[in-house]
Amino acid sequence: MKIHIQHRTAYLYSTQVSFGSHQLMMRPRESHSLRLEKCAFTISIPHRLRWIRELHENNIGHIDFTEHASELVIEAEFILDVIESNPFNFVIDPEAAEYPFSYEAELYTELHALSRNIYERDVDLIRDWLHPVWHPGKRLGTLELLQQLNTHIYSTLKYQRRLEKGVQSPAETLEKKSGSCRDFATLFMEACRYLGIASRFVSGYMYSPDINGRMSMHGWAEVYLPGAGWIGFDPSWGILASSHYFPVAVSRYSENVPPISGTYTGTRRDFLRTDVDLYVTRLSAYLLT
C-alpha cells in the first residue's frame, strides 16, 4: 500500500513579525511495516532546519528563522510504503495473557512512568467508571479487557472535534460525555494506568476510505503487552490501530506532541488566523507505474 500525505499549515499576521525557534513533529516514524519513501518540507521564510531524535525516538525538526514576515507557511509531503497486516497478529506472553498481571521487575523499571496516572484527582472516578468492565476480583483475558475498554469509550461517549487547545481531563470527558480523539485517548490511557498497564499517547495520520477531503491529525493510545510490545488502540473508532495508522510521535502526555510549536514577537492582535490543510490518500496502482 502506498499512502500520500500532504500537510500544509499557514500562520497569518496583520504585520511583519519575527519568529522564535519552532519545532516540527510531523515526520512519520518508520518501522518494520512502514518505510518513508518521500519526505519533503517547504518553509516560506528563510531558515535553518536541523533534525534530532529525542528521548522517545521521535524525529523533531528545529527551525531557526532569519527574516521577518507576515505569513509563515510550512508544507510537508510524504509518501509511505506500508505493509498491510492483521492488527491481531501478535502473541501476549502467557503470564500476561490474563488480567490482573504484573510486569517483571526490570521491565517495570522501564515502564514505571507510563504506568502512573497523570490525573491523580480523577482516579476514584475512573475506578467507578471502570466497574462494569473490570473490578477487583474479576479475571479476564488482557486483550479482551482492553478491547472492552476501547469499545466502551466509543459506544458510550460522543466524539466531538474540538478546536480549542489542550486536552480534557478524564473527569471532564466523562462529565460532558463527549470529547475529541486526544480526550478519548487520554481517558483510555488513564484507565489503563489505573490498572497498572503502561500506556502512551500517539499523534499521527490515519487513512480511511470512508473519509474524503480534508482531514486532521489523529490521536490514539498504545499499551505495552509483554510478548506483543506496543499495541495501538483507538477509542475514537473503537478498534485496534491497524496498518492504516501512521504514528508520528509518542509521549506520556498528549500535549507534548503538537505537530508545530513555536513563538513570534508581536502583540496578540498581530495574529490573524491559522489555516491547516491535510490530505491522506491511497495512491492507485496505475499512478505508481
Side-chain angles (χ1 to χ4, degrees):
M1 179 173 65
K2 299 278 188 179
I3 295 293
H4 185 220
I5 299 173
Q6 293 174 291
H7 191 172
R8 180 184 186 273
T9 303
Y11 300 95
L12 305 177
Y13 303 85
S14 60
T15 186
Q16 288 203 344
V17 298
S18 62
F19 297 93
S21 180
H22 279 51
Q23 285 193 167
L24 303 181
M25 300 182 80
M26 303 165 68
R27 187 184 191 274
R29 292 165 63 109
E30 295 187 84
S31 68
H32 60 279
S33 60
L34 189 155
R35 183 174 65 88
L36 198 53
E37 194 170 285
K38 179 178 181 179
C39 175
F41 284 88
T42 303
I43 301 171
S44 62
I45 304 173
H47 63 279
R48 293 185 295 270
L49 173 62
R50 58 188 172 85
W51 290 91
I52 68 166
R53 190 171 59 182
E54 47 85 276
L55 173 68
H56 299 287
E57 299 288 328
N58 298 319
N59 294 294
I60 301 181
H62 287 271
I63 313 173
D64 293 310
F65 297 98
T66 56
E67 292 186 10
H68 297 191
S70 59
E71 181 182 57
L72 168 60
V73 181
I74 299 174
E75 297 181 88
E77 181 183 15
F78 311 108
I79 294 179
L80 312 181
D81 186 3
V82 182
I83 298 174
E84 296 189 80
S85 59
N86 179 357
F88 292 93
N89 185 26
F90 58 85
V91 178
I92 303 173
D93 283 346
E95 60 269 24
E98 188 176 64
Y99 186 84
F101 73 90
S102 298
Y103 295 113
E104 60 92 15
E106 185 174 349
L107 182 58
Y108 181 71
T109 300
E110 299 287 342
L111 297 174
H112 176 67
L114 297 172
S115 305
R116 294 182 57 192
N117 285 102
I118 292 176
Y119 298 91
E120 295 182 356
R121 293 182 179 181
D122 294 355
V123 165
D124 290 343
L125 180 63
I126 291 170
R127 178 199 61 212
D128 295 340
W129 173 74
L130 266 176
H131 192 271
V133 179
W134 184 86
H135 51 269
K138 184 175 182 179
R139 297 195 66 88
L140 73 164
T142 300
L143 179 58
E144 180 185 357
L145 167 63
L146 294 169
Q147 286 184 284
Q148 286 186 18
L149 173 59
N150 201 36
T151 56
H152 186 55
I153 295 173
Y154 171 73
S155 61
T156 61
L157 304 177
K158 181 181 179 182
Y159 173 81
Q160 187 172 32
R161 185 181 179 190
R162 292 195 305 109
L163 299 179
E164 304 92 336
K165 292 182 178 180
V167 62
Q168 293 177 174
S169 69
E172 290 176 302
T173 299
L174 293 175
E175 179 183 354
K176 295 178 180 179
K177 294 182 169 44
S178 67
S180 67
C181 59
R182 62 187 183 275
D183 302 324
F184 285 3
T186 296
L187 175 59
F188 181 91
M189 291 188 300
E190 287 294 281
C192 288
R193 290 166 179 166
Y194 169 78
L195 297 170
I197 301 175
S199 61
R200 64 187 186 183
F201 180 80
V202 188
S203 171
Y205 305 103
M206 71 169 292
Y207 165 73
S208 172
D210 299 325
I211 300 178
N212 295 313
R214 184 184 299 173
M215 299 180 66
S216 299
M217 285 197 77
H218 193 44
W220 61 97
E222 287 183 340
V223 300
Y224 192 87
L225 301 176
W230 289 107
I231 303 298
F233 291 83
D234 183 1
S236 296
W237 290 68
I239 59 176
L240 269 69
S242 67
S243 49
H244 287 191
Y245 287 70
F246 319 116
V248 167
V250 300
S251 176
R252 180 171 180 250
Y253 187 45
S254 66
E255 289 199 283
N256 290 342
V257 288
I260 302 173
S261 59
T263 62
Y264 72 93
T265 300
T267 68
R268 184 170 296 182
R269 290 184 178 181
D270 291 337
F271 177 72
L272 297 177
R273 69 179 189 274
T274 303
D275 295 330
V276 180
D277 294 294
L278 172 61
Y279 298 91
V280 181
T281 55
R282 182 169 184 168
L283 294 177
S284 301
Y286 72 88
L287 293 176
L288 305 174
T289 58

